């Protein structure tokens, strides 16, 4: 079959790496892709939000299956559009994608279905939000309702910080329309974990667990990023944890989908906080996580295309899903300055010397045979091992062979960081 993958990050590189092993796949296209993806797929110069352009391409190139990586096209309704033209596409429809596209909608879903989550209130009126800003004490969490490229969540330590964030979101429109509505939420403390699940509307199957590292510096210091690395399985993962997640979270989610007539088909990413009062849901994403995917998919034994087709056909309950015992670690190498401003266009050296890892490209671009940086998160160096420790040693050995001007990365990916 001909497959089109939409997206250009490390997540999409990992998806393409995995599906390129499928005997069912003849040719892979990727829009817009990156320099690493180019070795496995034909790059197509169409942006992920250009739904009409992608549709035209899929029709003209006889695409048998389209796989959507990022949230933006899903929230824009690419799945509904492709389906209305009789094209097969993997991902949730527009109605279901609201579970990532609107924080208030998600909070309402969680509350109505008694799924444990932080207390919250939503506001569209600045004055009302201001009046109630103290309601949950401090720190307090403020969230722009809509998509804000991962930047729409502010943890305010005091009233002053909360007011600044509120003004930026609602008055100055820092996130545009995404901040027209906001959520004020109780601050939870605990250890975060992510569970990614395959969902076909009726059945929900968790993948092996993974953990990402959001803060830019070692020991979880500094500002939030899109993710500086990941490892799998999470140190929290044991039978008790899995049972609690299944009982308290997953069963209620699938029941909630059915009650709300949400025909969710695709990947559900559940962000959790393990608090001393039990596990609570922080957020949903309606797609694979980045960089979680880079440590999860290399552990998947089963053909990912088979799983995706079983989801589209609502036969996930009949699909066997097998995982390797090997553990994985992925270290993200970033541009100087990231997550704030950074320069692009630096030559990347050492990629040909990598022996024991797979380098998933994120922000890279090729020109005249050389690879250049083209984003904040540039590469994800992923290695496998019998233990997480073995995997991290291999990954860091290969990271040390890579260089570009002002590159930086965390030195503690794969280590357990507990909150201070
Ligand atoms: P979200 O996009 O909702 O996952 O938020 C991004 C990050 O903000 C999460 O990964 C958490 O680290 C943090 N966060 C979100 N909601 C809360 C909360 N209620 N309490 C504490 N931290 C939170
Ligand atoms: N790693 C978090 C995310 O993909 O949103």
């Amino acid at each position: 079959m001909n497959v089109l993958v939409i997206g250009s990050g490390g997540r999409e590189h990992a998806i393409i790496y995995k599906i390129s092993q499928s005997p069912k796949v003849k040719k892979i296209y990727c829009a817009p892709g990156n320099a690493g993806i180019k070795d496995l797929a034909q790059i197509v110069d169409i942006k992920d939000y250009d739904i009409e352009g992608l549709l035209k391409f899929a029709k003209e190139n006889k695409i048998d299956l389209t796989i959507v990586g990022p949230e933006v096209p899903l929230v824009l309704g690419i799945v509904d559009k492709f389906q209305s033209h009789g094209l097969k596409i993997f991902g949730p429809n527009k109605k279901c994608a609201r579970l990532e596209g609107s924080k208030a909608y998600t909070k309402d879903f969680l509350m109505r279905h008694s799924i444990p989550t932080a207390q919250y209130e939503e506001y569209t009126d600045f004055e009302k939000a201001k009046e109630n800003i103290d309601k949950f004490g401090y720190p307090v969490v403020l969230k722009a309702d809509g998509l804000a490229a991962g930047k729409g969540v502010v943890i305010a330590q005091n009233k002053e910080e909360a007011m600044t964030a509120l003004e930026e979101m609602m008055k100055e429109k820092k996130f545009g329309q995404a901040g027209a509505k906001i959520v004020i939420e109780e601050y939870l403390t605990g250890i975060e974990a992510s569970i990614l699940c395959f969902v076909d509307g009726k059945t929900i199957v968790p993948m092996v667990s993974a953990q990402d590292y959001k803060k830019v510096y070692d020991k979880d210091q500094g500002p939030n990023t899109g993710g500086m690395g990941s490892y799998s399985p999470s140190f929290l993962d044991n039978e008790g944890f899995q049972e609690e997640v299944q009982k308290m979270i997953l069963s209620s989610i699938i029941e909630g989908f059915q009650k709300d007539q949400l025909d969710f088909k695709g990947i559900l990413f559940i962000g959790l906080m393990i608090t001393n009062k039990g596990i609570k849901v922080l957020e949903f994403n309606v797609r694979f996580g980045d960089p979680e995917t880079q440590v999860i998919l290399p552990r998947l034994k089963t053909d990912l295309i088979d799983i995706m087709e079983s989801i589209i056909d609502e036969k996930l309950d009949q699909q066997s899903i097998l995982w390797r015992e090997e553990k994985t670690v992925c270290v993200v190498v970033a541009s100087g300055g990231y997550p704030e401003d950074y320069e692009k266009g630096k030559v990347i050296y050492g990629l040909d010397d990598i022996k024991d890892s797979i380098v998933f490209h994120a922000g890279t671009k090729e020109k005249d045979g050389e690879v250049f940086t083209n984003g904040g998160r540039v590469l994800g160096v992923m290695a496998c091992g019998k233990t997480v420790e073995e995997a991290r040693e291999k990954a860091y050995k290969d990271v040390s062979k890579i260089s570009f001007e002002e590159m930086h990365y965390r030195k503690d990916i794969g280590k357990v960081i507990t909150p201070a």
Side-chain angles (χ1 to χ4, degrees), residues 83-284:
Q83 283 173 346
S84 72
H85 286 261
L87 293 174
K88 203 170 181 178
I89 182 161
F90 181 79
N93 60 26
K94 191 173 182 176
K95 192 173 164 196
C96 296
R98 286 189 74 198
L99 291 168
E100 178 159 0
S102 166
K103 306 247 186 229
Y105 175 74
T106 297
K107 293 300 288 188
D108 177 62
F109 174 88
L110 293 168
M111 288 288 181
R112 280 189 298 106
H113 299 294
S114 307
I115 301 166
T117 189
Q119 296 300 312
Y120 84 108
E121 275 178 358
E122 61 177 80
Y123 296 95
T124 46
D125 182 80
F126 174 77
E127 293 303 327
K128 284 222 173 78
K130 194 174 143 186
E131 263 169 46
N132 291 293
I133 195 99
D134 296 323
K135 197 148 183 181
F136 300 110
Y138 294 95
V140 69
V141 187
L142 282 99
K143 299 183 175 181
D145 179 59
L147 290 185
K151 299 200 171 88
V153 176
V154 173
I155 296 171
Q157 298 299 331
N158 49 48
K159 186 162 186 160
E160 199 187 333
E161 283 181 23
M163 282 309 302
T164 306
L166 199 60
E167 275 173 24
E168 282 178 354
M169 284 181 193
M170 298 191 89
K171 286 234 150 132
E172 293 159 27
K173 303 259 184 295
K174 187 172 175 185
F175 306 113
Q177 266 309 103
K181 187 188 275 182
I182 60 128
V183 166
I184 301 184
E185 192 173 299
E186 168 200 8
Y187 177 77
L188 299 175
T189 47
I191 299 175
E192 283 190 62
S194 333
I195 300 290
L196 278 72
C197 303
F198 295 112
V199 188
D200 76 348
K202 298 180 302 194
T203 306
I204 184 163
V205 181
M207 302 182 203
V208 287
S209 60
Q211 199 79 52
D212 82 342
Y213 294 76
K214 288 208 168 71
K215 303 279 188 199
V216 67
Y217 302 126
D218 285 20
K219 299 198 176 119
D220 284 347
Q221 301 298 307
N224 264 334
T225 69
M228 292 300 287
S230 51
Y231 73 101
S232 173
S234 159
F235 81 96
L236 291 165
D237 197 344
N238 57 39
E239 252 175 57
F241 172 74
Q242 287 172 15
E243 264 174 38
E244 190 175 348
V245 168
Q246 183 63 49
K247 205 167 122 226
M248 301 300 298
I249 316 271
L250 304 188
S251 328
S252 313
I253 289 176
I254 205 78
E255 260 177 48
F257 283 172
Q258 279 167 354
K259 281 189 192 147
D260 286 6
Q261 293 182 322
L262 289 173
D263 189 20
F264 192 107
K265 289 183 181 176
I267 306 297
L268 184 71
F269 171 125
I270 311 169
L272 300 171
M273 184 74 91
I274 323 300
T275 74
N276 54 16
K277 289 189 194 132
I279 302 180
K280 301 202 178 191
V281 174
L282 283 183
E283 62 157 350
F284 287 141

Side-chain angles (χ1 to χ4, degrees), residues 370-402:
E370 275 193 301
V371 180
F372 295 87
T373 67
N374 193 41
R377 289 189 293 171
V378 177
L379 304 165
V381 180
M382 189 287 301
C384 307
K386 282 201 188 73
T387 59
V388 168
E389 191 52 36
E390 188 185 313
R392 76 180 290 276
E393 267 172 33
K394 278 194 204 168
Y396 275 108
K397 204 166 144 206
D398 278 333
V399 168
S400 71
K401 296 176 187 158
I402 295 172

